[in-house]
Amino acid sequence: MLLTYSQFQKLAYSQQDQFVRIYGQLVAQRWHENYSIELYDLGVFYCELWLEQECLQWPCYYAFATNACLEQYTTQAQPAHY
């Protein structure tokens, strides 16, 4: 069962979480400050799961209707310049 981007956005967090765990394919992971961010491919759109590592805030999902979100992962894969 695939959902569209708009349908996913209307779900409660617990429903989004269940959907991603069943149908999502983990594509990449990155860090931003104290957040671990996991990128999932859901067939017709992507979403990120933001997990705060220090203050135990609730995780949250951010969905993307286009693949523009992939740029964040390609730029972090570049080698460091020393």
Side-chain angles (χ1 to χ4, degrees), residues 2 7 10 15-16 19 21 27-28 31-32 39 41 50 52 55 63-67:
L2 289 179
Q7 291 169 323
K10 293 176 185 175
Q15 295 170 311
Q16 289 178 342
F19 183 80
R21 294 195 187 285
V27 176
W31 291 91
H32 176 73
L39 179 67
D41 181 348
W50 285 59
E52 203 276 335
C55 299
F64 301 93
T66 68
N67 63 358

Side-chain angles (χ1 to χ4, degrees), residues 37-57:
I37 306 167
E38 299 173 349
L39 179 67
Y40 290 89
D41 181 348
L42 292 164
V44 294
F45 65 96
Y46 293 93
C47 77
E48 290 181 330
L49 173 60
W50 285 59
L51 300 163
E52 203 276 335
Q53 300 297 306
E54 294 177 10
C55 299
L56 302 176
Q57 294 176 355

Side-chain angles (χ1 to χ4, degrees), residues 8-44:
F8 181 82
Q9 290 289 89
K10 293 176 185 175
L11 297 176
Y13 170 79
S14 61
Q15 295 170 311
Q16 289 178 342
D17 189 55
Q18 182 179 15
F19 183 80
V20 170
R21 294 195 187 285
I22 293 171
Y23 299 105
Q25 180 178 8
L26 181 62
V27 176
Q29 191 270 338
R30 66 185 176 97
W31 291 91
H32 176 73
E33 296 176 358
N34 60 331
Y35 288 89
S36 168
I37 306 167
E38 299 173 349
L39 179 67
Y40 290 89
D41 181 348
L42 292 164
V44 294

